[in-house]
Amino acid sequence: MGDSKKPQKPMIYYYAMTLLFILLLNTVILPTFFSPKVNEVSYGNFLQMVDEGRISKVEITDNKIASICKDDGEDKIYVTGRVEDPQLVDRLIKSKVEFSQVIPKENSPIVNFFLNWIMPIMIFFALGQLFMRYMGNRMGGNAMTFGKSNAKIYVEAQTGKSFDDVAGQDEAKEALMELVDFLHNPDRYKAIGANMPKGALLVGPPGTGKTLLAKAVAGEAKVPFFSISGSEFIEMFVGMGAARVRDLFKQAQEKAPCIVFIDEIDAIGKKRDTGKFGGNDEREQTLNQLLSEMDGFDGSKGVVILAATNRPETLDKALLRPGRFDRRVPVELPDLKGREAILRVHAKNVKIADNIDFNALARATSGASGAELANIVNEAALRAVKMKRSYVEQADLEESIEVVIAGYQRKGAVISPEEKRVIAYHEIGHALVAAMQKNSAPVHKITIIPRTNGALGYTMQISENESVLMKKEELFNKIVTITGGRSAEEIVFGSITSGAANDIEQATKIARSMVTRLGMTEEFDMMATEIMSNVYLGGDASLQCSETTAGKIDAKVLSIIKDAHEKARQILLANREKLDVLAQFLLEKETITGEEFMALLRKEEAAESGSREQA
Ligand code: ADP
Ligand code: MG
Ligand code: ZN
């Protein structure tokens, strides 16, 4: 109770209002409501009516005399104040009026008290409860439940997930397997005196299956799974988060062995900063509570804490020290094999043709996360329905990869024939430069159908196999390929367009990383001039050098891009006719495959060398 001082003030107001209302009800409203319609007369008039014989019945109470008058056969009630009048009885008898003195009908005081005070309070209390529950639901939280933290904790006896549902991520699974084993028979670990880690922190980019893995661990271990998201700890009122943490651990210890999973732990686990004025009280209290709970509980009982985050560098050091989250399990973006496995897992959930080339799909989705791959399979199923087919085909999957990468086709986009020509040359520029270089991934598809992400056309390159290392030449050739589009425009039209904005951005990014982080220039040798933060969320680079160095970096980046641009121009100038033929072909077909492109290119090359031999 003690940890929610603030909300009690409105509560007191609430009760005060209720009391006031009951008072009003009892003293003013109810009496007027229930008293019958009566006419007041003076005592003199009343006596006159008695003498005239118009009164049939009289009731005398302590301070009032009520009488029924039967004028014109219609009964009317008259009241008058009671006057000390000893002759009244004689008069009444004389006029043959039926009369009586009312004995005040007394409820027992206890019943009275109950009816007038306890009942209304109970009714209001019930109404109040209903109201609070309603408000609580509407606000999606526990804004109105004071004092006791109603921690929204999900206990799923069975998560229904197993390691089979998690494809790829073999290293992560292996690391977590140990925890599962511990939950199965903690005694074996106790016997040898080994302390199991209390917590494991899953770190990796979004959508790589961290949440899924945690559920799978619970499923494999067949233990209860307490899941709560970091943001749920942060409440409207200071102290609630800490109360929730306490509740969570209390419940977990009662249910041990079990797994406590704190998703998005960075919401509470952020570094406590001392510098700023004020700071975030609520978050810090919550974090402190979490730290002390993690220290406090006995790990050998079989409570394992899993947490997930994609911003590990923002976490407070205290969380990461041994005895708390001392295990760190990286959950990285899947590699080629992993992507194939993930696609297969999700393909099991849809009706699918049996000649699907999963390897080709995996190669086309380099850099995609598990969540994106799951999405690709679903998009393909949706497309199959749209095509009125009852199963998913390779083409559905390929199109949905493009949808996920570049968005939907913009069928209605209005593009003039002249612009179409520029776009076709631009794309063939990329493709031709790529094809003419060694160390460059083969072209898979070229299209000039615009997409909803703003691309007017694009050239898809897919490498045969995935390498973990990039050679300097490969990176440079990549920039050359990227500058190929603009180069083709320059050579063919003698002017340039705005269509290369995305290429420019990409080329600069690669060149910059070569200079600042990869140590690929003589000038800067192995000096890092930029550091990356937030690597799992796209990455932000921040400069770590003097201003003069920054100037030199820019100059070097520019010179790399210029060299690449020049190389692309030379390649295209040397293949000027092929550029025309291929661009014409693309303009007619709008979309061509890598094979079609290469076949035409080989044909042109053969024709060229033939004519050279003739000359
Ligand atoms: P995270 O918590 O890392 O952001 P999730 O675990 O929520 O990602 O993953 C989202 C969805 O993506 C999962 O429900 C699952 O369908 C799919 N997914 C992600 N990674 C994998 C994987 N390795 N194997 C199978 N499915 C995956
Ligand atoms: Mg998650
Ligand atoms: Zn381009």
Side-chain angles (χ1 to χ4, degrees), residues 212-266:
L212 187 64
L213 264 169
K215 286 186 178 164
V217 170
E220 290 282 329
K222 298 197 174 51
V223 297
F225 181 69
F226 292 81
S227 154
I228 190 161
S229 174
S231 58
E232 280 170 52
F233 284 120
I234 306 303
E235 282 283 340
M236 275 166 93
F237 308 117
V238 172
M240 290 302 286
R244 286 193 160 199
V245 173
R246 217 175 306 131
D247 254 30
L248 175 64
F249 277 81
K250 212 176 115 220
Q251 287 193 34
Q253 260 158 319
E254 282 162 10
K255 289 259 162 64
C258 68
I259 288 173
V260 176
F261 176 52
I262 306 174
D263 211 350
E264 318 288 347
I265 196 174
D266 42 288

Side-chain angles (χ1 to χ4, degrees), residues 65-124:
I65 300 172
S67 48
I68 295 174
C69 164
K70 44 177 201 322
D71 276 350
D72 327 319
E74 189 190 348
D75 285 358
K76 269 190 188 157
I77 298 171
Y78 290 96
V79 278
T80 183
R82 181 172 176 184
V83 176
E84 210 42 61
D85 178 5
Q87 285 136 43
L88 177 64
V89 175
D90 292 343
R91 277 181 185 227
L92 289 174
I93 291 169
K94 218 173 90 194
S95 306
K96 297 202 183 78
V97 177
E98 191 188 324
F99 71 95
S100 58
Q101 167 96 29
V102 175
I103 305 160
K105 215 190 318 151
E106 284 265 323
N107 280 330
S108 89
I110 294 173
V111 172
N112 257 344
F113 179 72
F114 182 80
L115 280 178
N116 291 340
W117 293 97
I118 305 293
M119 266 263 286
I121 286 178
M122 270 166 61
I123 289 168
F124 273 91

